Amino acid sequence: MDIVLVRHGSRRDWVNRRVWQEQADQHAVPWDASDSPLSEPGLQQAKELAAFVARQYGGRIKHVFSSPMYRCLQTATAVAQALGLQVKVEHGLQEWPPGKPQPVESLLHLLPPGTIDLSYRTLLEVEPGSDETVDEMHERGKRFAARLLQYLDSLPQEEKGGVLLASHAAGVISVTRALLGDRHARVNCGVCSLTQLHSELAPRQWKLVEDGRTDFLESGNCFDWSFEDGFRNQSPPPHVSTPSS
């Protein structure tokens, strides 16, 4: 079984944080300022990620889950379309600290028709705008990973298969560490990077197969982030509003 974790693409508010904040404050955009969409480069990264996933994992991935934040939904729906799947909106994959996502129903007109699985119910609720510590974020990653595996085990045989999780840097790292059983594992996590874990054993023992892969992106490894070091391979975008972006 494979679990593939991807981070969203570059954010629009990284281009001009002041303008984005003003638009949100004046209700010129229909969502909270923490819920920035993808920038044009981010949309291109999502397309390149989707094409790579379809080439490498087509037929192996049976389920796509996404954080409810719009930039993750944009990234996840690009991948889901390439795979012919729907996206399950999962609040356990929220950013850190949790942002304030819009109800997915209010975003349907902005997303490709039919790409959201409206019958799915989140495995883990997360309080929007709450003040999570680093330890609490890692605990959330452990709880979500456990519930995800229980959910997958409960599926009928014809629905079993690999899964793709679209999240934020902190979500990708904390869930990866939870599956590996290593709270301090180094996980590379640039925008639209891909991390893959594989397990064949029961009880499952997960092996890291791909660690923040970005060679399929024209932009390469951008805005790589970690809990310990922040942005590692370049300066953070101006006025970044959340630690894990």
Side-chain angles (χ1 to χ4, degrees), residues 5-11 14 38 66-67 69 71-72 75 92-99 132 134 137-138 140-141 144 165-178 183 185-195 197 211-212 214 221-233 237 240 242-245:
L5 301 100
V6 301
R7 186 182 174 195
H8 61 77
S10 294
R11 298 163 51 152
W14 288 353
L38 297 179
S66 174
S67 159
M69 304 302 283
R71 57 189 175 275
C72 279
T75 305
L93 295 171
Q94 250 269 36
E95 69 177 334
W96 174 76
E132 275 185 320
V134 173
M137 180 63 214
H138 280 85
R140 188 206 325 163
F144 169 70
L165 311 177
S167 186
H168 311 261
V172 170
I173 295 168
S174 62
V175 173
T176 299
R177 287 174 170 177
R183 167 71 164 72
R186 181 182 174 90
V187 181
N188 294 307
C189 199
V191 290
C192 271
S193 61
L194 181 147
T195 294
L197 296 103
D211 177 16
T214 57
N221 184 22
C222 298
F223 302 120
D224 185 14
W225 184 93
S226 74
F227 285 100
E228 294 78 16
D229 304 320
F231 287 94
R232 291 192 288 216
N233 63 338
V240 168
T242 56
S244 69
S245 59

Side-chain angles (χ1 to χ4, degrees), residues 12-57:
R12 186 187 298 177
D13 64 348
W14 288 353
V15 177
N16 192 320
R17 175 67 188 174
R18 181 183 60 80
V19 170
W20 170 254
Q21 184 69 56
E22 288 176 354
Q23 290 176 335
D25 290 345
Q26 297 168 9
H27 304 291
V29 292
W31 48 71
D32 185 81
S34 67
D35 200 8
S36 172
L38 297 179
S39 63
E40 287 302 318
L43 291 169
Q44 179 60 33
Q45 291 160 349
K47 290 179 182 177
E48 293 170 359
L49 169 65
F52 177 76
V53 170
R55 289 195 306 271
Q56 293 292 112
Y57 301 95

Side-chain angles (χ1 to χ4, degrees), residues 83-204:
L83 296 173
L85 299 172
Q86 290 185 306
V87 175
K88 297 173 171 62
V89 180
E90 174 52 57
H91 288 253
L93 295 171
Q94 250 269 36
E95 69 177 334
W96 174 76
K100 298 179 180 179
Q102 301 306 299
V104 68
E105 291 79 5
S106 69
L107 299 174
L108 292 179
H109 68 289
L110 299 172
L111 298 168
T115 52
I116 301 297
D117 181 356
L118 295 175
S119 68
Y120 177 75
R121 296 294 177 263
T122 189
L123 300 173
L124 188 65
E125 294 286 355
V126 176
E127 182 182 353
S130 61
D131 187 19
E132 275 185 320
T133 66
V134 173
D135 287 341
E136 289 169 341
M137 180 63 214
H138 280 85
E139 183 60 31
R140 188 206 325 163
K142 288 172 63 176
R143 293 200 313 272
F144 169 70
R147 294 188 186 186
L148 174 67
L149 295 178
Q150 290 173 354
Y151 172 81
L152 297 174
D153 285 342
S154 73
L155 294 174
Q157 190 61 39
E158 63 271 17
E159 295 182 24
K160 292 183 184 294
V163 300
L164 182 139
L165 311 177
S167 186
H168 311 261
V172 170
I173 295 168
S174 62
V175 173
T176 299
R177 287 174 170 177
L179 292 169
L180 291 175
D182 183 353
R183 167 71 164 72
H184 301 288
R186 181 182 174 90
V187 181
N188 294 307
C189 199
V191 290
C192 271
S193 61
L194 181 147
T195 294
Q196 177 192 350
L197 296 103
H198 180 78
S199 176
E200 295 181 353
L201 302 176
R204 295 191 179 101

